[in-house]
Structure formats: C-alpha cells, structure tokens
Amino acid sequence: MSLRALRIIEEATCLILRTEKHPLVKKLRAEGIAFESCDDIYDSADSFEEVYEKISYRILKLSEEKGNVVYAVPGHPFAAEKSVQLIIEKSEGIAEVQVEPAMSFIDVIASALEIDISSGLKIIDGLRLDVQKPDTSCGNIISQVYSELVASEIKLKLLDYYEYDQGDR
C-alpha cells in the first residue's frame, strides 16, 4: 500500500473494505482504524455478479448518505475489481469517484517470476474461461482462483488448450 493510500484510509470518515480477509486488516485494527466490510454480501449472494452489484449499490448509497466514502480493495482498483467498475459506471450524477492506484497482483507475480510482462501477457478471469480464452503464444495469468474446486475446474478447462504435462517440458 502506498503512503498516500494509507493516509486516505486513515483519514476516511467512512471506510468500507471489500473484504476483511486480507493480511493488512490486522494492521488497520491495530491502528484503531474503524471500518466496515462487504463480507456479508459475499455470504448472502448467489453469484459474483450479484456480489458486485450489491457492493456498488451499498457504496453509492453510503456516499449519498455520508458524503465522503472510501472503498478499499486489495491490490489495484482496476485489476480484477468489477465492483470498482460498477461504482464508476453508476456514479454519474450521484457521487464523484477518485481512484487511488496501488500495486496489483500482476506486479507481484511479475516480480516473483522475474518476467518482463512486455514480452506478452494475457490476464484471464478464471471464472470466465468460457469466453476468455488462453493465448498459448504468451504467458497467461488466471485470476479468481480462490478455492480448490475452482482451481480444479480451471485445470480441466485448460486441458482444452495445453497438454496435461505441458509444465514438465
């Protein structure tokens, strides 16, 4: 998290986290920073599309009620954060939206693998492999792999594009 993002979070009069399931939450609590999360929406919704819709509705409603609302997401707000896109789309005439950039999971992966992402990289939502096809001519990062079941389903779909022992070559 950048120092600017930390300052924005510390000064927020209404801080909403997309989720409490993140290592930085312990630090926020230790610093006495008050927040709410959207984990209740994840627990009650039937699909991610419903989650993102409800989150965007909640944030914009709170913005109308309280004015300045800070909605914090793990990583970069434009990296696999559909709720942010919906908030921006729905905010016209309701709220002014400012986005603070942050390090994304893509930056972390590139650093960990020591790869130059300009040599070719495709980022795919693992829950949308039916419409977002892997590109076998470059590296692919697959997001939304949040459980063993999802990982298994993604692996089976990838077998349509790669040999089962592709990584062993």
Side-chain angles (χ1 to χ4, degrees), residues 1 27 34 38-39 42 50 65 69 84 91 98-99 109 118 124 130 133-135 151 161-162 165:
M1 179 182 336
K27 178 180 171 56
C38 296
D39 288 326
Y42 281 93
E50 184 181 351
E65 294 170 2
V69 173
V84 173
S91 67
Q98 296 178 345
V99 176
I109 290 170
S118 68
I124 303 167
D130 51 330
K133 309 293 184 204
D135 184 343
Y161 302 91
Y162 301 100
D165 61 350

Side-chain angles (χ1 to χ4, degrees), residues 1 9 24 92 103 117 139:
M1 179 182 336
I9 285 172
L24 281 177
E92 191 170 331
M103 183 179 279
I117 59 175

Side-chain angles (χ1 to χ4, degrees), residues 107-116 121 140-141:
D107 300 299
V108 175
I109 290 170
S111 293
L113 297 177
E114 298 179 342
I115 58 171
D116 178 359
L121 183 65
N140 292 264
I141 294 176

Side-chain angles (χ1 to χ4, degrees), residues 17-161:
L17 306 180
R18 181 174 58 78
T19 182
E20 286 187 50
K21 297 174 177 137
H22 192 276
L24 281 177
V25 172
K26 187 185 290 186
K27 178 180 171 56
L28 297 179
R29 281 196 178 105
E31 296 290 325
I33 297 172
F35 61 85
E36 297 175 37
S37 82
C38 296
D39 288 326
D40 62 309
I41 294 174
Y42 281 93
D43 295 339
S44 65
D46 293 327
S47 68
F48 280 113
E49 289 77 21
E50 184 181 351
V51 167
Y52 305 141
E53 284 291 332
K54 286 183 173 184
I55 288 174
S56 65
Y57 175 77
R58 178 179 288 176
I59 300 304
L60 291 172
K61 185 171 187 256
L62 283 169
S63 178
E64 285 180 307
E65 294 170 2
K66 299 185 180 205
N68 185 19
V69 173
V70 173
Y71 173 57
V73 299
H76 198 289
F78 293 137
E81 289 293 346
K82 182 67 174 169
S83 61
V84 173
Q85 290 297 321
L86 290 172
I87 290 166
I88 291 168
E89 290 169 13
K90 295 176 179 184
S91 67
E92 191 170 331
I94 296 172
E96 177 186 338
V97 176
Q98 296 178 345
V99 176
E100 178 65 26
M103 183 179 279
S104 75
F105 68 96
I106 300 160
D107 300 299
V108 175
I109 290 170
S111 293
L113 297 177
E114 298 179 342
I115 58 171
D116 178 359
I117 59 175
S118 68
S119 62
L121 183 65
K122 184 171 183 177
I123 302 162
I124 303 167
D125 181 335
L127 303 177
R128 302 193 63 217
L129 276 170
D130 51 330
V131 293
Q132 294 182 348
K133 309 293 184 204
D135 184 343
T136 58
S137 68
C138 68
N140 292 264
I141 294 176
I142 301 175
S143 66
Q144 304 292 6
V145 186
Y146 58 86
S147 73
E148 288 183 20
L149 177 62
V150 171
S152 177
E153 290 174 3
I154 289 170
K155 176 185 173 185
L156 292 174
K157 289 179 182 175
L158 290 176
L159 288 173
D160 292 339
Y161 302 91

